[in-house]
């Protein structure tokens, strides 16, 4: 009977009453599954949500979003996960204006999907639990594109793909990871924050490196036309086609390619560094077959060539900010080569060139330089009789 009473008030008074009652409710201990309570509080939250317009202050929107998120977190149907998902669907329809609420709904759906693990016998999905998880993933796939923040969309697509993979939903994971790559093209090179232009390149490159770590265990596509590296190849094409801000392009590409080399090194191992239960990754699907290794080597060479080109472009940039990054990238690539490649004559020569480039640069970090050389000196292969490492260390230390 509370809502008819609230309807007697209009304008700001009605909004303030709804805000006060909702604020009191979210501070109460425990959770609720009472349909009457949920319906009443949903009505109050809807009043607050509908009060938002283009003239609303950001602080006001933030406060309303916080109250609605606290309300959503207090609803728990215990073992009735399907009812909980229905509640999230209703919330998505009721509060479309608030980004933090939509983000919270996606995270809630992913949490529901993972809660099914509590009810699995011997870790295997039944038809019912698998259908429910598919519904949760579909909810995320529909909701994420409605977010305005492109970087947040990428982060949530990656996370949703990981959850799908964890539940052996390979087709759904592949679709979400493809959506991740497509979203990279949608990211604006700069965005306005507090009335100033801010580059999105650092955040975007962080997400690319995170995505590379996920791709380690993603199985190849069963269609030979796509092959074992279809997602990686798609990511590489997107990075080349993306319209980077001119001042960020060289360094951003360096960071991305530096993050991809450990991925490529992992994909060349007989046993991958980690796995997902009941998901066959490329180490078992392809078992380092000749065609697989040949394509992998081609990608490695292409990535390394592109990385060196980007490093050269960074070196040629006379901007002081770019010059400060040259020795950093050179030493990072030096360490990546030392850690992830077979140190034969050609790789040792390349590593030495990179080390000397950094050493001769005025902006080099002396501690990082010394630690990089010490890492080479302590390399596991340094003690082998035919190793080139000891002589390489002596030459680099003496120059």
């Amino acid at each position: 009977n509370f809502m008819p009473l609230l309807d007697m008030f209009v304008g700001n008074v009605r909004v303030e009453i709804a805000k006060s009652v909702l604020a009191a409710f979210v501070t109460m201990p425990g959770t609720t599954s009472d349909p009457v309570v949920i319906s009443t509080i949903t009505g109050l939250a809807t009043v607050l949500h509908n009060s938002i317009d283009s003239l609303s202050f950001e602080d006001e929107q933030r406060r309303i979003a916080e109250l609605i998120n606290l309300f959503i977190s207090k609803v728990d149907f215990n073992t009735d996960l399907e009812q909980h998902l229905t509640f999230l669907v209703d919330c998505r329809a009721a509060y479309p204006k608030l980004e933090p609420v939509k983000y919270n709904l996606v995270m809630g759906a992913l949490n529901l999907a993972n809660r099914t693990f509590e009810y699995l016998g011997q870790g295997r999905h039944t038809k019912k639990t698998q259908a429910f998880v598919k519904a949760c993933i579909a909810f995320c796939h529909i909701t994420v594109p409605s977010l305005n923040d492109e970087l947040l969309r990428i982060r949530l697509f990656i996370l949703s793909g990981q959850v799908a993979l964890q539940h052996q939903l390979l087709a759904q994971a592949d679709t979400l990871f493809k959506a991740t790559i497509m979203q990279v093209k949608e990211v604006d090179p700069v965005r306005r924050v507090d009335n100033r232009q801010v580059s999105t390149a650092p955040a975007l490159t962080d997400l690319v490196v995170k995505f590379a770590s996920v791709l380690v265990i993603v199985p190849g596509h069963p269609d030979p036309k796509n092959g074992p590296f279809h997602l990686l190849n798609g990511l590489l094409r997107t990075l080349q086609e993306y319209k980077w801000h001119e001042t960020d392009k060289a360094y951003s590409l360096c960071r991305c390619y530096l993050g991809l080399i450990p991925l490529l090194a992992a994909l060349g191992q007989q046993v991958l560094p980690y796995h997902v239960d009941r998901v066959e990754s490329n180490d078992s699907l392809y078992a380092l077959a000749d065609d697989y290794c040949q394509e992998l080597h081609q990608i490695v060479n292409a990535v390394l060539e592109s990385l060196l080109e980007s490093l050269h472009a960074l070196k040629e940039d006379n901007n002081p900010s770019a010059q400060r990054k040259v020795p950093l990238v050179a030493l990072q690539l030096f360490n990546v080569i030392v850690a992830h490649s077979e140190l034969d004559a050609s790789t040792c020569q390349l590593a030495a060139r990179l080390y000397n480039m950094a050493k001769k640069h005025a902006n080099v970090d002396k501690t990082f330089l010394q630690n990089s050389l010490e890492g080479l000196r302590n390399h596991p292969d340094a003690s082998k009789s035919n190793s080139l490492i000891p002589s390489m260390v002596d030459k680099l230390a003496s120059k």
Side-chain angles (χ1 to χ4, degrees):
N1 296 326
F2 177 76
M3 293 308 294
L5 177 63
L6 182 65
D7 291 338
M8 296 176 64
F9 300 91
V10 294
N12 289 335
V13 175
R14 186 167 184 254
V15 172
E16 290 303 319
I17 292 174
K19 187 183 299 182
S20 298
V21 176
L22 187 56
F25 173 78
V26 299
T27 58
M28 296 173 62
T31 59
T32 184
S33 60
D34 188 321
V36 176
V37 173
I38 293 173
S39 177
T40 301
I41 301 302
T42 298
L44 296 174
T46 302
V47 169
L48 292 181
H49 173 269
N50 293 343
S51 69
I52 296 173
D53 55 29
S54 59
L55 300 179
S56 299
F57 291 111
E58 287 188 9
D59 287 345
E60 178 69 8
Q61 296 183 42
R62 193 178 300 113
R63 176 56 179 161
I64 291 174
E66 180 184 4
L67 287 173
I68 293 176
N69 277 335
L70 288 171
F71 156 55
I72 292 172
S73 67
K74 288 185 69 64
V75 175
D76 187 357
F77 293 93
N78 296 316
T79 59
D80 194 349
L81 302 184
E82 292 178 340
Q83 182 64 31
H84 202 145
L85 181 59
T86 301
F87 170 71
L88 297 183
V89 173
D90 293 340
C91 289
R92 182 179 64 189
Y95 317 121
K97 298 179 185 178
L98 297 171
E99 293 272 297
V101 174
K102 287 187 281 189
Y103 171 81
N104 192 39
L105 292 174
V106 172
M107 297 301 293
L110 294 176
N111 181 53
L112 283 180
N114 282 338
R115 281 177 62 182
T116 60
F117 282 124
E118 301 172 14
Y119 310 106
L120 299 184
Q122 298 180 345
R124 293 183 180 274
H125 274 291
T126 63
K127 288 184 178 180
K128 184 177 180 180
T129 58
Q130 189 172 57
F132 175 74
V133 173
K134 286 182 179 179
C136 292
I137 297 300
F139 175 91
C140 297
H141 199 178
I142 294 170
T143 308
V144 171
S146 67
L147 292 163
N148 295 324
D149 189 332
E150 305 94 341
L151 295 172
L152 187 57
R153 291 203 296 262
I154 293 174
R155 184 176 292 110
L156 289 177
F157 271 135
I158 294 174
L159 189 59
S160 300
Q162 287 178 284
V163 172
L165 201 62
Q166 192 176 17
H167 291 272
Q168 303 101 49
L169 300 177
L170 302 186
Q172 286 80 359
D174 187 71
T175 300
L176 290 163
F177 290 143
K178 286 179 180 176
T180 300
I181 296 170
M182 295 299 296
Q183 283 299 318
V184 172
K185 300 177 182 179
E186 304 297 324
V187 178
D188 291 327
V190 294
R191 61 172 55 175
R192 183 169 291 277
V193 178
D194 297 332
N195 294 321
R196 60 191 181 92
Q197 296 285 355
V198 177
S199 171
T200 58
L204 180 57
T205 50
D206 284 344
L207 288 172
V208 170
V209 173
K210 174 182 174 62
F211 187 44
S213 68
V214 175
L215 289 180
V216 170
I217 55 167
V218 178
H221 199 280
D223 188 347
K225 293 180 181 179
N226 294 310
F229 308 112
H230 67 293
L231 291 174
L232 177 55
N233 286 325
L235 178 61
L236 289 172
R237 285 193 299 270
T238 299
L239 292 177
Q240 287 291 343
E241 296 169 0
Y242 180 70
K243 304 298 182 183
W244 299 94
H245 193 276
E246 199 57 37
T247 57
D248 298 321
K249 182 176 182 179
Y251 179 62
S252 298
L253 285 173
C254 284
R255 285 194 62 202
C256 291
Y257 292 136
L258 282 168
L260 290 175
I261 292 177
L263 162 65
L264 296 168
L267 292 174
Q269 297 177 12
Q270 288 186 339
V271 179
L272 292 177
Y274 72 105
H275 293 85
V276 172
D277 191 31
R278 303 183 192 280
V279 174
E280 285 189 307
S281 297
N282 284 350
D283 54 347
S284 58
L285 290 175
Y286 297 96
L288 297 182
D290 291 342
D291 291 345
Y292 175 91
C293 292
Q294 183 178 357
E295 185 176 356
L296 180 61
H297 290 154
Q298 290 174 353
I299 298 174
V300 170
N301 291 334
V303 169
L304 189 56
E305 182 180 351
S306 298
L307 175 51
L308 293 174
E309 288 176 358
S310 299
L311 177 57
H312 179 73
L314 189 67
K315 187 179 178 182
E316 295 297 310
D317 189 343
N318 293 324
N319 189 305
S321 176
Q323 286 300 308
R324 285 193 295 270
K325 296 168 182 172
V326 171
L328 174 63
V329 173
L331 283 178
Q332 286 176 336
L333 181 52
F334 170 84
N335 285 301
V336 165
I337 291 173
V338 169
H340 297 286
S341 67
E342 182 179 345
L343 294 177
D344 55 19
S346 61
T347 53
C348 283
Q349 184 180 11
L350 175 58
R353 282 172 48 204
L354 292 165
Y355 184 89
N356 288 325
M357 178 193 297
K359 186 176 182 180
K360 295 174 183 177
H361 203 282
N363 296 306
V364 65
D365 183 337
K366 299 291 186 182
T367 302
F368 189 19
L369 185 75
Q370 186 60 37
N371 289 341
S372 299
L373 186 61
E374 194 64 25
L376 177 62
R377 181 179 285 112
N378 296 326
H379 193 282
D381 293 341
S383 58
K384 293 183 178 179
S385 59
N386 60 344
S387 175
L388 301 174
I389 295 175
S391 60
M392 180 181 172
V393 171
D394 294 340
K395 290 179 181 178
L396 295 178
S398 62
K399 287 187 178 180

